[in-house]
Amino acid sequence: MSIIQTIRDKAAVLVFGIIGISLIGFLVQDAFVGGGSHLFTAPSSTVGKVNGVAIERESFDERVRAMEAQYQSQGYRVDESVRQEIQNQIWNGLISKELITAEAQKLGIDFTSKEFTELLFSENAPQEFKQQFTDPKTGVYNIEAARNAFKTLQKSKDAAQLRQVNDQLIDPIVLSQIQKKLMTIFTNGTYIPKWLIEKQNAVTGQVADISFVGLSYSTVADSSVNVTDAEINDYIQKHKDNFKQEKSRSIAYVLFNAAPNKQDSANLWNKMEELKKPLAEAADAGVFVTRQGTKSQFFDGYMNKSRIQVPVKDSLFRLSPGEVYGPYYDGNSIVIARMIGSKVLPDSVKARHILIGTINPQTGQPTLADSVAKKRIDSIQQAIAGGASFELLVTKYSDDEGSKAVFGNLGYFPNGQMVKAFNDFAFEGKTGDKGVVKTEYGYHYIEILDQKNFEQAYKIAYLSKPIEASVETDRAASAAATQFASVSRTARAFDENVVKEKLNKRIAESVKDMDYQVTGVGTSRAFIKWIYNNKPGTVSDPISVGDQYVVALITGEKEEGVQSAEEARIIVEPQLRNKKKAAQLVAKFGKYASIDEAAKNTGQQVQQADSIRFADNFKPAFGNELILIGAALNKNYQEKVSPPLAGNTGVYALQVKNLGALPNDAANVEEQRKATAMQMKQTMGYAVMQALKEAATVKDTRMKAGY
């Protein structure tokens, strides 16, 4: 049974997505957090700093664990790749938290307990909270019920429960409101004048016809134009923001494949063929596949048709009870399946419950005698039948601290998410049913609030086996990698042996210290750590990553700062070369008083382009030369020919033949003004955060902390 299911599933957007930050020590009548901050305690170490403020490791780890638990509660497998994504998400969230909190404090922005109360117990309450007290039959939010439940919660002596309410309900709401106030300062300052829209309409409505002459940069040989490092450095210094670089390293590497081969796959297929008959004859299919070590754990229940996602599901749905299908491939596994039965069930159920626990779910140790728990749940059932408040009883007696914080409401959950006895009651009963169910956690009093989307459901036993490399396959790859590494201990030997053994040498540039994968290699923090724990020129021993072995050579490193001329040359050189070519081509144009003279001087033909508009970014006559589009709408060039204009691909001279405007009677200036202002407001949040991050000093020391 997942803890605080509704908040984890539905409020996660607030907690991790929209804000990605959390508040410290917010008090609601001092009842929820015991009068002080609980998120940041005395640090044992730090993982970085934002504008000199330390991000504590304890807080960082706490958030990572919470998000991992959230992923797992929703059925996601938290592997190394997902774990690293979570760590990066939390890291970026803590940076945002510090930046927004600090900026709000500078501006005197706060969200008081009075404001919190007024928000929570009003029609404007956050939907994640509101739905816990909304009558499923009428859809009406019961403000008084919510207020009474909170009053009861305020009297609680359960510190863990109060902390959970603060962490997962109060803090996200408060931060959301502080962020909203901060952004309002900027969005309310947004103003789009009427004249700007009119000017924009006038420009976009213009249309022009031109005559032009062009000389392409390709007419000047690249070899005739020299661009020096000094010129590149001068350009970099004038455009530093465009050439910032992070600390990184580069490697060369070769891979030795240890993936399963055709023989490994064929051997497993034959084995699965042999298991078809025993599966069909097994008295208990679930027990059989479990004993055989199936990759996909046996689900002892019915799964809705729409939730079954296997390659051969249509064939499976046609099976009669007891029939077996397969073998078949499912990704990197081979599967056989036996149909057990089918029935019609809802695909999701909304329920609330009260748990009288008999074990500690963390330790598995007994906490209450079974007979005592049974008597207590029976008393609760009788009390509710007699008219007692469910909300008051769940707050006082329930041992599920998560759902207790939202008064037992689990929200909607899919078939198969809860433990079997709980799941069977919720999905095989009907809306309005109430009853006591015993699970491995204890006794539950359950009320089914709603069921929706009824469809056919199937109970199927899958025997799934992964296609794995045999010992011989793995040994062969390991031996080849070891032999190569042993004779390639220097950069020179590495390169020579790549050629000698006809291996595929690959390059990975800009590997950051907090990356968790190298493109082409796969996910492995251990590999990244090796790259940073050794000096350039070092060759690795074979490192196992996924189904391959990698041998790597550290080829170089870059320090944080501005790129060198050598690093930036590939980008800057073409621009500076074209600038020098432009000067030569401008000289060829010489002096001219008409477009025909410009053509004569350059030996080119006069070309035509019609119906040029401001919104165009490409014209067949001259491609994407935006300088020509802009010049075509310049009325000064209607009476006289333009000077030579340096573009992306050449130098041009033009004469505007006609310049007019298309009618736009449908234009509504006021509506355009409002739409433009709204668009600006919608992008304001991102722009503000980018500005704060660019102005901040962020020190990431997670690598040193062992991550």
Side-chain angles (χ1 to χ4, degrees), residues 459-690:
K459 188 174 184 179
I460 303 172
Y462 300 94
L463 176 53
S464 174
K465 294 281 189 179
I467 304 172
E468 296 176 334
S470 63
V471 174
E472 292 74 19
T473 299
D474 184 78
R475 282 177 179 170
S478 177
T482 300
Q483 190 277 331
F484 175 82
S486 67
V487 296
S488 306
R489 304 317 296 171
T490 66
R492 180 177 178 179
F494 184 96
D495 289 338
E496 289 176 349
N497 287 318
V498 164
V499 175
K500 180 181 178 181
E501 298 184 27
K502 298 180 180 180
L503 299 172
N504 181 16
K505 175 184 172 181
R506 307 186 189 193
I507 303 296
E509 302 280 359
S510 301
V511 180
K512 311 295 191 306
D513 61 355
M514 287 311 299
D515 286 347
Y516 56 89
Q517 62 181 358
V518 172
T519 301
V521 177
T523 300
S524 175
R525 272 298 293 164
F527 184 38
I528 303 296
K529 288 180 179 179
W530 177 87
I531 295 172
Y532 274 86
N533 288 334
N534 291 277
K535 297 178 180 180
T538 305
V539 176
S540 74
D541 291 327
I543 299 173
S544 176
V545 181
D547 56 4
Q548 56 196 355
Y549 290 91
V550 57
V551 178
L553 162 67
I554 304 174
T555 55
E557 60 182 341
K558 299 176 183 177
E559 294 298 327
E560 182 179 3
V562 179
Q563 290 181 2
S564 67
E566 180 183 1
E567 293 163 342
R569 177 173 285 275
I570 191 172
I571 296 174
V572 178
E573 185 176 34
Q575 299 178 50
L576 297 184
R577 183 191 296 125
N578 284 347
K579 188 175 180 179
K580 290 186 174 185
K581 287 184 177 182
Q584 295 182 32
L585 296 179
V586 167
K588 287 187 177 183
F589 273 88
K591 293 183 179 181
Y592 53 89
S594 69
I595 197 68
D596 290 326
E597 287 185 21
K600 182 179 179 181
N601 291 348
T602 57
Q604 302 295 310
Q605 295 291 322
V606 176
Q607 301 182 63
Q608 310 296 324
D610 300 332
S611 303
I612 298 172
R613 300 189 63 181
F614 183 78
D616 293 335
N617 56 20
F618 181 88
K619 298 295 286 186
F622 52 76
N624 64 342
E625 284 290 5
L626 301 184
I627 196 167
L628 282 181
I629 294 173
L633 303 177
N634 187 336
K635 63 181 181 180
N636 293 329
Y637 300 147
Q638 191 169 13
E639 297 179 359
K640 64 177 182 178
V641 67
S642 76
L645 304 171
N648 294 323
T649 59
V651 176
Y652 303 86
L654 68 81
Q655 178 97 47
V656 178
K657 297 189 299 180
N658 296 301
L659 180 60
L662 298 176
N664 189 6
D665 298 332
N668 186 322
V669 173
E670 183 58 24
E671 288 300 317
Q672 286 179 302
R673 191 185 70 80
K674 290 180 180 178
T676 303
M678 179 60 69
Q679 184 179 16
M680 185 177 291
K681 288 181 179 181
Q682 290 173 345
T683 60
M684 190 67 73
Y686 174 78
V688 170
M689 285 307 304
Q690 283 300 107

Side-chain angles (χ1 to χ4, degrees), residues 228-244 561-569 571-573 576:
T228 66
D229 284 352
E231 290 171 323
I232 293 176
N233 280 326
D234 180 63
Y235 184 91
I236 291 171
Q237 291 305 310
K238 293 176 180 177
H239 305 83
K240 283 185 177 180
D241 287 347
N242 296 331
F243 295 95
K244 289 181 178 178
V562 179
Q563 290 181 2
S564 67
E566 180 183 1
E567 293 163 342
R569 177 173 285 275
I571 296 174
V572 178
E573 185 176 34
L576 297 184

Side-chain angles (χ1 to χ4, degrees), residues 229-270:
D229 284 352
E231 290 171 323
I232 293 176
N233 280 326
D234 180 63
Y235 184 91
I236 291 171
Q237 291 305 310
K238 293 176 180 177
H239 305 83
K240 283 185 177 180
D241 287 347
N242 296 331
F243 295 95
K244 289 181 178 178
Q245 67 181 17
E246 299 178 61
K247 181 179 180 180
S248 66
R249 288 194 167 190
S250 56
I251 62 169
Y253 65 92
V254 290
L255 298 174
F256 298 86
N257 188 13
N261 55 33
K262 291 182 179 179
Q263 188 59 51
D264 296 329
S265 179
N267 290 342
L268 179 59
W269 184 276
N270 294 335

